[in-house]
Amino acid sequence: MQFQSFTRCTTRMGLRTNDDVVLIEPADVPRDSIQLISDRKWTRSEKPVWIAAMSVGTCMLYASRTVMPLCIVAISKEMEWTKSDSATILSSFFWGYTLSQVLGGYLSDRIGGETVLAVGATGWGILTLLTPKIAYLYDDKLSRLYTLVFFRVIIGAFQGLHMPSLTSLISRKVAEGEKSFAYSIATSGSHLGTLFCGSVGSIFLEKFGWEAPFYVVGVLTCCWVLLLRLHLLPKQREVSRLILIKEIGQFTDVPDAVHANRNPKDGVPWMLLIKTPAFWSLLIGHFCQNNAFFILLSWLPTYFHENFPHAKGWIFNVVPWLVTFPSALLSGWLADYMMAKGLSATAVRKIIESVALFGAAFFLFVISYSQSFAGALFCMAMALCSCGFHHGGVMMNPQDIAPRFAGSVFGVMNMAGSVPGFVGVYLTGYILETTKSWSVVFNLTSAVCIFGITVYLIFGTARRLI
């Protein structure tokens, strides 16, 4: 069967040439060829476009996630909420976020991270846009609180699909030796999103009220989803289709594609992982780092509002995240560089994660003794800057130990890492309400970081386990 120039494929895989249409039944397509399309690496031209798109998507993800912490002071004042009420609103997001992690990883490894990514973003983008309207559905205080809690859980569930699908996608589509830097670029959008929300969101909050930041983030997210659905996904399908045609036609010049040994029907050997201390050290390390990150993410604006009421909101909502973005990029670049120089992947992950957790622990401890706004801002910025190195450390570990099932393993890891989102964030509100002490919060968080890095240094590995 000879093939020439192809531009379209029907549901029966009708391939249009310059002169005619050749129909190929699905049974005629070799299984290995279908697997090639599923696991082919991005071409040289595709990779930067997709990495940039995922970075923007992660940016919008975190802008949507941080818009509530940004506005919580204003909303609480209007709705007459207590600190426990505010803590419930902030932590409720993570109830849904935790529950959808494993499902997101499972689906991404089976049907493709691109599809799961688009579905999740559609859900949380629309609900973020509608949040101000949802808040006023009822007149009484309690009904408003419960309604917002319910919809924050749903937003969290949609957002929980994002990171496992992104991890699965990069594990399959990016070549070894380039994954750390590519992953750090894609995930560093989280800090850009927080920075964007803290800067632009603060301006809209002050000028137009707390509803405006939700509208801005919701509209921008919907625009990103349209770009993904109408441009990137159709273009990728077209490139994959042409490669499949070449494979069937016995062409040997298949650009930038590889045959992977992954069978989509294979199940993750969870029992093997569960019996491995390295797997548990991965969960613990991610849990402890996320505990620090989510507490700072959720309570940072409240801390500065209470302790330095005359400070400009755009300063403390921007500066800490301004320094975190380059540290996240640097962590990925350093990881690839050190491994290229011959250092083992295990040593690289432990070195970079040590910077993340030891650094965060140190500056969180010091901030308890800071009396000036400048000193507190510096410590907060350095703590979050340290957290940025987590992108080149533990967050890359699922791709190291389980490259064939990176999405599923990351889903389980991130489910464990999401627990501090509702437990840690809620307990912080409870501690503040009972002790009125931020020092207690920061010292406990620092101790959790020390525990996490100690366990990971003893038991962690980047050796392939499954």
Side-chain angles (χ1 to χ4, degrees):
M1 185 181 293
Q2 298 298 319
F3 295 91
Q4 300 171 16
S5 172
F6 301 93
T7 59
R8 192 165 60 105
C9 186
T10 69
T11 55
R12 290 185 64 209
M13 298 193 71
L15 309 177
R16 183 178 297 278
T17 69
N18 291 336
D19 304 311
D20 60 344
V21 175
V22 181
L23 294 179
I24 301 175
E25 297 293 340
D28 296 330
V29 182
R31 182 184 182 87
D32 286 346
S33 298
I34 296 175
Q35 190 62 33
L36 176 144
I37 296 306
S38 173
D39 291 315
R40 75 171 182 87
K41 304 301 182 185
W42 280 321
T43 62
R44 191 181 298 270
S45 60
E46 282 182 298
K47 187 175 74 172
V49 174
W50 270 96
I51 296 298
M54 288 190 292
S55 184
V56 173
T58 307
C59 174
M60 289 297 98
L61 180 90
Y62 270 78
S64 171
R65 186 179 302 183
T66 54
V67 70
M68 182 59 80
L70 174 74
C71 301
I72 193 67
V73 175
I75 300 174
S76 297
K77 186 176 180 181
E78 180 180 327
M79 304 289 183
E80 299 179 345
W81 290 340
T82 65
K83 267 200 172 61
S84 293
D85 293 334
S86 298
T88 301
I89 290 290
L90 293 174
S91 63
S92 61
F93 168 91
F94 295 97
W95 303 345
Y97 187 74
T98 301
L99 293 175
S100 62
Q101 292 292 322
V102 176
L103 177 64
Y106 175 84
L107 291 176
S108 298
D109 286 342
R110 280 358 180 232
I111 66 176
E114 309 93 323
T115 304
V116 179
L117 204 67
V119 170
T122 301
W124 54 261
I126 292 173
L127 289 178
T128 299
L129 182 63
L130 296 177
T131 295
K133 301 298 182 184
I134 293 168
Y136 293 112
L137 283 177
Y138 298 96
D139 293 328
D140 63 291
K141 169 186 169 182
L142 212 55
S143 296
R144 286 180 173 180
L145 179 67
Y146 292 154
T147 302
L148 272 177
V149 166
F150 174 76
F151 278 97
R152 289 290 292 171
V153 172
I154 302 302
I155 291 174
F158 276 118
Q159 288 210 4
L161 302 175
H162 184 89
M163 294 304 293
S165 61
L166 187 151
T167 301
S168 177
L169 199 54
I170 288 182
S171 180
R172 289 190 296 114
K173 300 294 188 180
V174 179
E176 294 293 338
E178 301 175 358
K179 288 182 179 180
S180 294
F181 190 44
Y183 191 74
S184 67
I185 293 174
T187 56
S188 63
S190 60
H191 307 299
L192 283 181
T194 310
L195 177 62
F196 172 81
C197 189
S199 55
V200 177
S202 294
I203 295 172
F204 276 85
L205 173 63
E206 291 178 7
K207 289 186 177 295
F208 305 107
W210 67 264
E211 298 92 343
F214 286 93
Y215 292 138
V216 172
V217 173
V219 168
L220 290 176
T221 298
C222 291
C223 290
W224 179 77
V225 171
L226 289 175
L227 173 68
L228 185 66
R229 286 181 173 274
L230 300 180
H231 178 66
L232 292 180
L233 288 175
K235 189 172 182 179
Q236 177 170 274
R237 282 194 291 266
E238 183 63 26
V239 173
S240 296
R241 187 177 298 128
L242 293 174
I243 292 175
L244 179 58
I245 293 167
K246 287 185 177 183
E247 175 69 9
I248 298 172
Q250 305 296 316
F251 282 79
T252 57
D253 58 337
V254 180
D256 227 4
V258 296
H259 288 276
N261 61 359
R262 180 171 64 91
N263 185 340
K265 295 184 179 179
D266 283 348
V268 183
W270 290 116
M271 291 306 299
L272 180 61
L273 279 179
I274 289 172
K275 295 176 182 178
T276 308
F279 175 68
W280 290 101
S281 73
L282 179 75
L283 301 187
I284 293 170
H286 192 56
F287 175 97
C288 294
Q289 194 278 336
N290 274 12
N291 181 67
F293 182 78
F294 286 144
I295 287 174
L296 296 180
L297 182 73
S298 299
W299 289 102
L300 182 149
T302 305
Y303 167 75
F304 281 105
H305 274 301
E306 289 189 354
N307 291 275
F308 308 99
H310 300 297
K312 295 290 185 182
W314 68 267
I315 295 178
F316 58 74
N317 283 320
V318 169
V319 172
W321 306 106
L322 195 62
V323 298
T324 307
F325 175 68
S327 73
L329 292 179
L330 179 62
S331 70
W333 180 83
L334 275 177
D336 285 341
Y337 177 80
M338 287 190 287
M339 283 188 278
K341 291 296 183 180
L343 206 60
S344 71
T346 297
V348 169
R349 301 295 179 226
K350 290 183 176 181
I351 290 171
I352 291 180
E353 194 61 32
S354 295
V355 175
L357 285 173
F358 278 131
F362 174 76
F363 287 108
L364 285 172
F365 177 76
V366 172
I367 199 174
S368 301
Y369 300 95
S370 178
Q371 301 297 320
S372 67
F373 173 70
L377 184 65
F378 175 79
C379 290
M380 192 69 76
M382 289 299 99
L384 285 168
C385 180
S386 299
C387 287
F389 280 85
H390 188 63
H391 292 265
V394 164
M395 282 190 72
M396 282 296 301
N397 238 176
Q399 299 181 51
D400 298 323
I401 67 171
R404 296 169 61 199
F405 309 101
S408 298
V409 174
F410 183 90
V412 172
M413 182 186 81
N414 217 31
M415 181 179 70
S418 303
V419 172
F422 55 88
V423 175
V425 170
Y426 180 81
L427 284 178
T428 297
Y430 177 78
I431 290 170
L432 291 173
E433 195 161 314
T434 54
T435 68
K436 312 295 182 185
S437 172
W438 284 96
S439 294
V440 174
V441 171
F442 292 137
N443 289 338
L444 284 175
T445 307
S446 177
V448 171
C449 288
I450 295 295
F451 172 74
I453 189 58
T454 301
V455 172
Y456 186 69
L457 287 176
I458 295 173
F459 298 107
T461 185
R463 178 175 53 85
R464 182 170 180 170
L465 300 179
I466 57 174

